[in-house]
Structure formats: structure tokens, C-alpha cells
């Protein structure tokens, strides 16, 4: 049986209780954590087929990116060039850029092309320490291409030794061909896309972008109510450009999480705290688009909302999958403490995905990272570069 012993760990950050064990060791067997503790207490009878040294570094849970759009074709680098010259996002969207340009490229690409590109991104992000990913559809906006994206996410789920969770986002925006007939697109979503995506069992959740220019509060309610009947969990893109009572809607629908939240109201924050809806902040997006407004993470945490941080990797508004970097931006722009940031990219992100992960404990899947750093805060401080020495997925060294 394959087993792995990690020794010489200066700080084992379990994100559990006790949170940190110094001078520690971890033993993994058959993909799970079997033993952890101070190295001096290591049982004599553990027989490891492989032993690695953390070389006096940190071992902590692999990071969890609970909001990404990793499957897409095409680049929108030219939009970045345009924005750098002062052209604003709305003008770019009117000229055929924005989400709809990614939709056109994604429709044209084959499943194989989408898979190869997404797999490359997944591996790069894994080398930076992310071991669990949520990936959304939403660049098809027609039955055929949405199912093609689901197929690609399904293949990544099988092939990637870490964890991949699919989310159906057919309600991302109304595609151009339905611009004057959004009711027909809603019918397509409800009558064909949702039932067929449900059958594949690749996507455990359904997401709706609730915003002016995307879907209304009432439409979101209708889509999510039906999605729940089909067995989907709910997550929402809300309150990004204005308060649309999206946080309160997430609470009312029993959503796992509400994401973006740049303009979330105090009423919505209170409702989310009460309903235990995770608030997912995406600070990399405000940073990359030059936005002055960041989600009020401090207010949410103080009101009792669990806050997670994700990258929102996408080709337009944040082409970056470095979750550490998102954490540094959260600390500098959203007044989160470094401990709150670490919580946000591990255990709180796990809650948003409704999975047992983000902690190191006996019996759990051994998705761990070894950092070449004196403590777990250092990668947030010496930001923009990687401090990950080794990634362990299901008990096996991968990086
Ligand atoms: Zn998103």
C-alpha cells in the first residue's frame, strides 16, 4: 500500500485544533492522513513507502479556490491593453468584447482544445498550492456548448489527482441571439439545459449572475428554485456593481455562498449571517480592473458571516489563479487579518463547496502543501512569488 511520511516540519498548520503543531510529522496512507503529531511521538511501527523532509518548512492544507472560470477558449489580453489606454469596460463590451467574446471563442473550440487549455491552468495553479477547484460553465449559453463545458469539467474531475467541483452557470448573461427574447432563453435554461446537466452529475451546484445586464432577482429565484428541485446546491454572483439584495436572496434560497458582494447591504449581511451563507470575496478582480471598491469583508466577519476568498480566474476581469496573491490583496484592501485570510482560503472555502477539506486531520484526504517558509504567513508577505516546495495530492507527491 502506498504511504508517505513527511518529517522535519517546523510548523504543521492543521487549521484544526490545535491549529499549529511545531516540530511535527505527518503520515499518510491510501490517500488519507493516518497519523499526525510531534515528530518525537512518531510511532515506531509506521512503515512508509516514501519519506520526504519538509526541511524545516511549513506543512498546511492545500488551498481551495471556490470560484473560478478555468474552462474557456480565447484570450482577452487586447482588452487589458485597451483599458490601460483609458477605454472603459462598458465601451469594450459594446464593441463586442467582454463575456460575449469569450462565449464566441468557447463555442468555436473543441472539447479537446478546452480540456488541454484548462488542464494547463489547473496544473499551474496546483504548483502555486491550490489543490481543490470549483469550475463554472457559462461561456456556452447554448445547450451544445454548455454540455461541452460540462464534459470538459467532468474529464478534469477524473484526471486531476486533486479535487474539482463543477458548477452550472448557464445563467451567466443572456446570449446575443436571445437579446430581444429573454423569456425564450429562460425556457431553454429550465426545460433543456438544467435537466440535461443534472443527468451528467458533473455539476453539484447551479449559479446565477444576478445584476443589471445579466439576470433579475425574480428570474434568479425561478431558476434556483427549479435547480434545487433537481438536486443542485445554489451559489450566486451578486451585488457586484450595485446592491441588488443579492445577499438576502442567497439567504432566502438557502445558497451555500454568495459571491462578489462589492455593494452588499447591511440587511443582506445580517440575513447571510443568520442563514450561514458563506460570503465569497474576489479581491483580485477589483485589483485587476482598477476598481476602487472592495467587498466589505471586515463588516461581514464582524457580523458573523464566514468569508472565503477566491480568485475568480477568468480571461477578462482576473486572468490570475494565484490564491496567495488574492489573499495578500484581501489583507491590504479589505482589512482582513492574516489568520482570517488563511481561514478564507482553506476551511471557509471548503464550507462554500460543502466538502470536508481545508484541514489536516486523521481520516481526511491528504491534500497538503509544503512551504519553503518559516511560517504560513510568509507567502502573503513576500507576495507574487511561489513558496510552495511540494504539493501532495491524495497522499502522493505531485509538484
Ligand atoms: Zn465569476
Amino acid at each position: 500500500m502506498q504511504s508517505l511520511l513527511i518529517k522535519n516540519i517546523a510548523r504543521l498548520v492543521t487549521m484544526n485544533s490545535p491549529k499549529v503543531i511545531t516540530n511535527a510529522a505527518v503520515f499518510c496512507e491510501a490517500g488519507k492522513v493516518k497519523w499526525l503529531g510531534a515528530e518525537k511521538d512518531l510511532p515506531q511501527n509506521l512503515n512508509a513507502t516514501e519519506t520526504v523532509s519538509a526541511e524545516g518548512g511549513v506543512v498546511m492544507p492545500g488551498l481551495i479556490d471556490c470560484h473560478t472560470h478555468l474552462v474557456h477558449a480565447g484570450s482577452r489580453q487586447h482588452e487589458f491593453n485597451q483599458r490601460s489606454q483609458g477605454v472603459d469596460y462598458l465601451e469594450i463590451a459594446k464593441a463586442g468584447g467582454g463575456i460575449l467574446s469569450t462565449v464566441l471563442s468557447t463555442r468555436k473550440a473543441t472539447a479537446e482544445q478546452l480540456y488541454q487549455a484548462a488542464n494547463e491552468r489547473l496544473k499551474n495553479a496546483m504548483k502555486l498550492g491550490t489543490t481543490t477547484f470549483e469550475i463554472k460553465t457559462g461561456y456556452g449559453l447554448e445547450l451544445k456548448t454548455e454540455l461541452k463545458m460540462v464534459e470538459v469539467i467532468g474529464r478534469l474531475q477524473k484526471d486531476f489527482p486533486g479535487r474539482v467541483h463543477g458548477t452550472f452557470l448557464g445563467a451567466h448573461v443572456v446570449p446575443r441571439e436571445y437579446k430581444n427574447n429573454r423569456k425564450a432563453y429562460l425556457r431553454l435554461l429550465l426545460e433543456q439545459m438544467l435537466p440535461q446537466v443534472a443527468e451528467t452529475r458533473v455539476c453539484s451546484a447551479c449559479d446565477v449572475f444576478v445584476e443589471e445586464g445579466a439576470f433579475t432577482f425574480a428570474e434568479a429565484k425561478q431558476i434556483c428554485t427549479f435547480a434545487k428541485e433537481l438536486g443542485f446546491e445554489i451559489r450566486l454572483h451578486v451585488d457586484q456593481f450595485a446592491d441588488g439584495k443579492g445577499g438576502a436572496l442567497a439567504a432566502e434560497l438557502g445558497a451555500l455562498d454568495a459571491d462578489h458582494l462589492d455593494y452588499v447591504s447591511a440587511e443582506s449581511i445580517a440575513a447571510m449571517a443568520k442563514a450561514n451563507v458563506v460570503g465569497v470575496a474576489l479581491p483580485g478582480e477589483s485589483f485587476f480592473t482598477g476598481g476602487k471598491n472592495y467587498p466589505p469583508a471586515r463588516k461581514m466577519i464582524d457580523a458573523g458571516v464566514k468569508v472565503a476568498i477566491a480568485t475568480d480566474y477568468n480571461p477578462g476581469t482576473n486572468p490570475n489563479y494565484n490564491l496567495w496573491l488574492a489573499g495578500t490583496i484581501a489583507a491590504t484592501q479589505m482589512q482582513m487579518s492574516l489568520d482570517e485570510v488563511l481561514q478564507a482560503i482553506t476551511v471557509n472555502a471548503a464550507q462554500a463547496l460543502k466538502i470536508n477539506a481545508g484541514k489536516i486531520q486523521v481520516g481526511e484526504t491528504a491534500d497538503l502543501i509544503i512551504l519553503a517558509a518559516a511560517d504560513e504567513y510568509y507567502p502573503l508577505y513576500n507576495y507574487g512569488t511561489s513558496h510552495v516546495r511540494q504539493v501532495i495530492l491524495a497522499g502522493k507527491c505531485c509538484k
Side-chain angles (χ1 to χ4, degrees):
M1 200 186 304
Q2 196 267 340
S3 58
L4 174 72
L5 176 63
I6 313 168
K7 294 168 83 169
N8 198 13
I9 305 169
R11 290 172 69 79
L12 176 65
V13 182
T14 65
M15 299 306 289
N16 205 353
S17 172
K19 197 178 157 210
V20 177
I21 302 170
T22 53
N23 303 316
V26 180
F27 179 70
C28 314
E29 194 176 61
K32 311 264 186 209
V33 174
K34 198 78 187 283
W35 184 91
L36 58 89
E39 193 171 324
K40 64 173 172 48
D41 299 331
L42 195 62
Q44 293 297 312
N45 58 352
L46 296 179
N47 249 328
T49 54
E50 189 182 354
T51 301
V52 294
S53 168
E55 296 177 35
V58 174
V59 170
M60 64 176 284
L63 307 186
I64 300 171
D65 197 345
C66 65
H67 183 144
T68 84
H69 303 258
L70 277 169
V71 174
H72 68 87
S75 158
R76 280 160 54 197
Q77 191 185 335
H78 58 285
E79 291 180 16
F80 181 48
N81 297 349
Q82 283 176 301
R83 282 199 287 114
S84 76
Q85 289 159 23
V87 185
D88 81 15
Y89 187 77
L90 271 179
E91 272 178 71
I92 292 169
K94 270 186 197 151
I99 293 174
L100 291 172
S101 93
T102 302
V103 169
L104 288 182
S105 327
T106 305
R107 285 178 178 177
K108 277 188 213 143
T110 64
E112 182 61 26
Q113 286 166 335
L114 290 175
Y115 172 81
Q116 292 301 344
N119 196 33
E120 186 73 19
R121 292 176 199 121
L122 205 64
K123 281 187 184 156
N124 288 337
M126 182 268 278
K127 287 176 193 157
L128 296 167
T130 307
T131 57
T132 297
F133 297 86
E134 184 262 10
I135 306 179
K136 300 176 196 295
T137 73
Y139 291 131
L141 310 183
E142 62 179 5
L143 182 63
K144 190 175 75 177
T145 310
E146 284 296 317
L147 289 175
K148 183 168 72 184
M149 290 189 77
V150 170
E151 178 196 328
V152 171
I153 296 170
R155 240 181 109 186
L156 293 168
Q157 270 170 352
K158 281 201 198 87
D159 297 350
F160 180 59
R163 296 180 243 193
V164 171
H165 292 265
T167 297
F168 172 64
L169 180 60
H172 200 178
V173 288
V174 175
R176 198 163 290 172
E177 60 272 26
Y178 286 94
K179 208 174 134 199
N180 298 315
N181 192 5
R182 53 191 299 128
K183 277 205 173 122
Y185 188 66
L186 267 179
R187 272 204 306 278
L188 177 66
L189 267 171
L190 297 170
E191 290 169 12
Q192 296 192 50
M193 287 189 191
L194 269 169
Q196 293 194 35
V197 171
E199 257 175 51
T200 67
R201 298 184 168 271
V202 167
C203 296
S204 52
C206 172
D207 193 339
V208 179
F209 186 15
V210 192
E211 200 80 45
E212 206 184 322
F215 290 85
T216 66
F217 189 95
E219 287 165 346
K221 215 163 161 173
Q222 192 187 0
I223 295 164
C224 293
T225 304
F226 183 56
K228 279 176 79 172
E229 283 171 23
L230 292 174
F232 288 99
E233 298 286 351
I234 302 300
R235 43 178 45 107
L236 297 172
H237 281 66
V238 290
D239 302 335
Q240 183 182 1
F241 301 114
D243 171 29
K245 297 190 169 63
L249 176 64
E252 186 188 329
L253 290 167
L256 292 177
D257 54 298
D259 301 24
H260 282 295
L261 302 166
D262 302 53
Y263 290 91
V264 67
S265 69
E267 292 75 34
S268 279
I269 291 175
M272 285 168 62
K274 205 167 160 206
N276 205 14
V277 175
V278 177
V280 180
L282 310 164
E285 172 152 17
S286 301
F287 173 77
F288 185 71
T289 56
K292 301 280 179 287
N293 197 60
Y294 282 82
R298 186 74 266 139
K299 271 191 201 152
M300 288 197 270
I301 294 169
D302 294 345
V305 174
K306 291 210 177 107
V307 169
I309 296 165
T311 63
D312 193 24
Y313 168 88
N314 74 83
T317 56
N318 196 31
N320 182 282
Y321 34 65
N322 186 339
L323 199 46
W324 290 106
L325 178 58
T328 299
I329 301 170
T332 61
Q333 306 299 314
M334 304 197 312
Q335 295 80 49
M336 286 174 73
S337 73
L338 300 188
D339 278 317
E340 286 165 347
V341 168
L342 292 177
Q343 189 90 3
I345 54 182
T346 54
V347 276
N348 289 359
Q351 186 182 323
L353 295 179
K354 211 179 175 182
I355 54 169
N356 279 327
K359 283 180 188 172
I360 304 178
Q361 61 182 346
V362 171
E364 286 300 327
T365 301
D367 290 343
L368 316 171
I369 53 179
I370 302 178
L371 303 177
D375 65 35
E376 60 279 22
Y377 310 110
Y378 188 72
L380 295 168
Y381 161 73
N382 186 216
Y383 68 98
T385 182
S386 180
H387 299 276
V388 177
R389 177 180 288 145
Q390 184 62 257
V391 179
I392 292 146
L393 297 175
K396 282 188 193 146
C397 291
C398 283
K399 189 181 168 181

